[in-house]
Amino acid sequence: MAKRHLKVTGDLGRVVFMEFDLRNTQSIEESVRHSDVVYNLIGRDYPTKNFDYSDVHVEGVERIAEAVAKYDVDRFIHVSSYNANKASPSEFFKTKGQGEEVARSIFPETTIVRPAPMFGFEDRLLHRLAGVTNMLTSNHMQER
């Protein structure tokens, strides 16, 4: 089976990918300056040595929202998480909730999307579940 990859559906010149650094406000501003709509799909479900949850979900969102507000972008869509709540005991969900609050405080018209866990052709969820079923079977691989 050939590998399948996601494809951009925008017309030529309508979707422009630009590299930026989440800690560099100037590069973020350069990325959003001429935009009509900005989607923030940046998130981590595990901390790394370079970025912890707060760096990405709170401070990164703050920089992006400030740039969106500065250049008067028409629409800012922030993708969060289905259980985002700043009172959550989970650090992931807590920082997601804090990020939503920051986005709304800087750019009140922010559209917040809270998707449930998604799965599909190239996801980790189905691959993880498939790995478990290969190791554990309910009837010792016997047919009835």
Side-chain angles (χ1 to χ4, degrees), residues 29 33 46 57 69 76 92 112-113 126 130:
E29 288 178 356
R33 184 173 22 165
Y46 56 90
H57 301 154
F76 178 45
F92 174 79
I112 295 176
V113 179
L126 292 180

Side-chain angles (χ1 to χ4, degrees), residues 51 61 87 102 125:
F51 292 96
V61 171
V102 165
L125 176 65

Side-chain angles (χ1 to χ4, degrees), residues 22-72:
L22 195 56
R23 290 191 174 118
N24 184 336
T25 304
Q26 184 178 358
S27 69
I28 294 172
E29 288 178 356
E30 180 67 28
S31 298
V32 304
R33 184 173 22 165
H34 299 293
S35 300
D36 296 324
V37 179
V38 172
Y39 287 87
N40 178 25
L41 300 167
I42 299 171
R44 296 295 301 180
D45 54 357
Y46 56 90
T48 65
K49 67 178 185 176
N50 295 322
F51 292 96
D52 64 13
Y53 289 124
S54 184
D55 292 337
V56 177
H57 301 154
V58 182
E59 296 167 20
V61 171
E62 181 178 13
R63 288 186 189 97
I64 294 169
E66 285 172 350
V68 165
K70 180 178 179 179
Y71 289 102
D72 199 29

Side-chain angles (χ1 to χ4, degrees), residues 122-142:
E122 295 178 352
D123 75 338
R124 288 186 307 215
L125 176 65
L126 292 180
H127 288 280
R128 190 175 298 145
L129 292 175
V132 170
T133 58
N134 287 335
M135 292 172 48
L136 304 171
T137 59
S138 60
N139 60 357
H140 304 291
M141 302 294 283
Q142 301 296 316

